[in-house]
Amino acid sequence: MGLCCSLGKVGSVSIEGSNQNLDRKETYNDLTTYLKESHDEADKLQQNFADKVIQSTLVINIVRTKAEKELRKSKETKPLSDKKAEEIVNDIQKENNWLKRSKEIFTNVIIKLKDAREDDPSFIDKQSNYKKLTDKLKTDVMTLIESRIKQIRPSCTNLAAESSDDSETDGPSNQAKSGYESSHSLECVSENESNYGDENVDKSGRYKKQVHAYKLLYECTLILKAERDNFSKINSIIVGVTCQAKI
């Protein structure tokens, strides 16, 4: 039993079934590329929404500050340390935990994007960035992650607990998840509503929904940037170790 998991090194990962030949290095290289493209589309979408729909610099800054603070608490944007990235590369169980955590985070991003669209479909439906982003996440990113998870032999991954107790690989906290629908609360508007009058901002229910939609779009941008950087770090280590093995 112990020997199986000890083989979780680069180039020695146990594969389930002879028909699965997905190369590990290519998988992480592609994931890094797809996440960069996803972040670029998300950034364009949130910036376009800010410029054309929200318009108020004051509101935009308040929403961004609130989103950044909440995401820091949920650990969804926590950078991966060099040490933890190396452990993920060299330990098949930690890689499995990392991929499952990432799958959960990307699922949450897709939900946020869907909710943002529901808040203001009249604008978002006209943006090509929205469809490009959701398609890339659902097809390219999630498909590769799920394929890689399936490659890892169950007999190895079942030996350890499903969830890692390391704070650096934790997914969204329960508090963040349970508070997600409730924080569809428009506190970012209501808490500062008195200040919005200086900008002659429309305080209608529709505008509050638009502000909430912007908050969700901005959160997606931050999460995707963090995940892009984390996967890039893992990919760099895999590439480096693979190159050393060929020497």
Side-chain angles (χ1 to χ4, degrees):
M1 297 287 283
L3 177 60
C4 174
C5 286
S6 69
L7 294 177
K9 305 292 183 181
V10 174
S12 304
V13 177
S14 299
I15 303 299
E16 182 186 16
S18 59
N19 61 331
Q20 297 186 25
N21 298 311
L22 197 63
D23 182 79
R24 189 192 198 196
K25 182 167 71 72
E26 290 181 4
T27 297
Y28 278 90
N29 185 62
D30 288 345
L31 279 169
T32 302
T33 299
Y34 294 151
L35 287 171
K36 180 184 183 304
E37 294 171 349
S38 297
H39 171 258
D40 289 346
E41 295 297 345
D43 193 45
K44 291 174 188 174
L45 182 60
Q46 68 85 18
Q47 191 59 58
N48 199 25
F49 198 95
D51 294 340
K52 297 184 178 181
V53 178
I54 305 302
Q55 299 183 343
S56 167
T57 301
L58 174 63
V59 175
I60 291 168
N61 289 338
I62 290 172
V63 171
R64 287 183 175 182
T65 299
K66 182 176 179 64
E68 290 164 5
K69 181 178 179 181
E70 290 179 356
L71 288 177
R72 280 195 298 271
K73 289 182 179 179
S74 72
K75 300 180 182 178
E76 288 177 278
T77 55
K78 185 172 183 177
L80 195 63
S81 69
D82 293 342
K83 179 182 178 182
K84 182 51 59 178
E86 289 176 358
E87 290 176 356
I88 290 169
V89 171
N90 294 322
D91 188 314
I92 198 170
Q93 176 58 41
K94 290 187 177 181
E95 180 190 1
N96 185 66
N97 289 341
W98 169 263
L99 290 171
K100 288 183 177 180
R101 162 234 177 245
S102 298
K103 181 180 175 181
E104 182 181 345
I105 283 180
F106 292 131
T107 298
N108 205 24
V109 168
I110 293 170
I111 291 172
K112 287 176 186 282
L113 290 169
K114 180 176 178 291
D115 288 348
R117 180 193 169 279
E118 290 177 355
D119 282 336
D120 193 6
S122 62
F123 180 84
I124 291 181
D125 280 345
K126 297 175 183 177
Q127 309 304 305
S128 61
N129 304 104
Y130 179 80
K131 188 174 189 313
K132 287 179 184 177
L133 176 56
T134 53
D135 286 350
K136 186 162 289 292
L137 288 173
K138 290 177 181 178
T139 57
D140 296 339
V141 174
M142 294 295 275
T143 298
L144 269 184
I145 287 178
E146 289 171 359
S147 296
R148 178 60 192 164
I149 290 174
K150 289 177 182 177
Q151 282 187 301
I152 299 175
R153 192 187 291 271
S155 59
C156 283
T157 59
N158 290 339
L159 292 179
E162 284 294 318
S163 58
S164 172
D165 60 357
D166 191 301
S167 62
E168 288 192 84
T169 55
D170 284 344
S173 65
N174 289 332
Q175 180 180 3
K177 288 186 200 174
S178 63
Y180 175 65
E181 280 90 16
S182 64
S183 81
H184 278 190
S185 68
L186 299 165
E187 295 175 42
C188 50
V189 173
S190 60
E191 287 177 359
N192 302 280
E193 202 168 46
S194 60
N195 294 329
Y196 292 172
D198 298 334
E199 297 282 323
N200 295 316
V201 171
D202 178 10
K203 296 176 185 151
S204 67
R206 183 184 174 208
Y207 189 75
K208 287 184 177 181
K209 283 189 173 183
Q210 289 173 329
V211 171
H212 180 250
Y214 176 65
K215 179 173 180 284
L216 293 174
L217 294 177
Y218 186 64
E219 287 175 352
C220 291
T221 304
L222 296 177
I223 293 170
L224 289 172
K225 180 181 183 301
E227 288 302 286
R228 177 200 69 188
D229 293 343
N230 289 339
F231 271 87
S232 179
K233 180 172 288 189
I234 293 172
N235 184 51
S236 295
I237 296 173
I238 291 174
V239 170
V241 174
T242 303
C243 289
Q244 289 177 13
K246 291 179 179 179
I247 296 175

